[in-house]
Amino acid sequence: MTRDDLAGSVVVVARDLIGCTIRHGDTAGTIVETEAYHESEPASHAYVGRTARSVTLFGRPGTAYVYFSYGMHALLNVVCEREGVGAAVLIRALEPIDGIGVMRERRGLVRDEDLCSGPGKLTQALGIGLELNKTDLFDGPIRLGPPAGPRPEVLVGTRIGITKAPELLWRFAAAGSRHISRPWPPGAREALEAA
DNA sequence: CATGGGATTGACT
DNA sequence: GTCAATCCCATGC
């Protein structure tokens, strides 16, 4: 997963990020769930154009967009598409790889499948806060890495927790993972490619 | 300057 | 299943 890869279509990138890794300090995990957001649809923060918050989304692909949600959670996104286009992939869940002990301390939990099974949970587990907004994912404190093993089969479904453009099939997850944020809804389609 | 919504989570019925 | 916590940010007056 190179910076050039991230410059492509945000929906394709969201699917291709499944299986890649995120590392911060001694903690790391495999991406098992993502969602795509693009300036052309109203659920995206970039839909309203460039504002103090959304300006990050229009920046260089491979930049981290970290924003504050519901007064208590930092959510991590990977900025995608070419510079000037507002688009990003929300990282919704990880399967823990390294630093599980630290994650348990930060989360106050024991079960591995609860440590990073949500966009707010994984930032807490990895110690990712708003101060990391606009940092570079190839040359910064948070590192995006290539898949460690073979690509998993990828499921496709509709995005979670939004009220606008709910029909888009822009949510992706590793098939069979026990570390995703919410059970896959009945009737969701299954992606054919694993590549 | 005041207001209201939100890409969530955890606790509770 | 429902709901409150909590605060940044976008919008409107």
Side-chain angles (χ1 to χ4, degrees):
Chain A
M1 185 58 62
T2 67
R3 196 185 302 276
D4 279 349
D5 294 328
L6 298 181
S9 161
V10 70
V11 179
V12 173
V13 173
R15 185 194 65 202
D16 290 346
L17 280 174
I18 300 296
C20 294
T21 61
I22 294 285
R23 173 171 298 276
H24 182 233
D26 294 327
T27 56
T30 302
I31 298 171
V32 294
E33 184 181 346
T34 62
E35 285 176 359
Y37 289 87
H38 187 269
E39 63 180 29
S40 62
E41 47 87 16
S44 170
H45 292 168
Y47 184 67
V48 296
R50 293 176 192 250
T51 63
R53 173 171 66 166
S54 71
V55 64
T56 309
L57 292 168
F58 294 85
R60 191 185 191 198
T63 303
Y65 170 52
V66 185
Y67 80 97
F68 204 51
S69 176
Y70 289 96
M72 56 184 88
H73 303 292
L75 271 54
L76 172 66
N77 296 251
V78 178
V79 172
C80 294
E81 307 222 355
R82 68 181 189 278
E83 197 159 351
V85 177
V89 172
L90 171 68
I91 307 301
R92 283 195 59 90
L94 305 176
E95 178 176 341
I97 302 172
D98 292 332
I100 293 176
V102 180
M103 292 185 187
R104 287 199 181 111
E105 282 181 30
R106 287 172 176 158
R107 297 269 302 125
L109 288 172
V110 176
R111 294 173 60 211
D112 286 4
E113 56 268 38
D114 292 329
L115 292 176
C116 299
S117 57
K121 296 177 184 179
L122 70 91
T123 55
Q124 184 186 17
L126 270 65
I128 294 172
L130 298 183
E131 72 279 2
L132 297 177
N133 187 37
K134 300 185 183 180
T135 59
D136 193 279
L137 293 169
F138 294 100
D139 185 24
I142 310 170
R143 294 301 175 102
L144 174 64
R151 293 266 195 184
E153 187 178 353
V154 177
L155 302 179
V156 182
T158 55
R159 296 177 294 182
I160 301 277
I162 54 168
T163 57
K164 299 162 187 167
E167 74 284 357
L168 296 176
L169 293 167
W170 283 11
R171 181 189 179 208
F172 303 91
S177 175
R178 296 187 302 277
H179 302 267
I180 63 175
S181 64
R182 310 214 355 216
W184 214 251
R189 294 218 318 257
E190 196 168 296
L192 298 180
E193 67 277 89

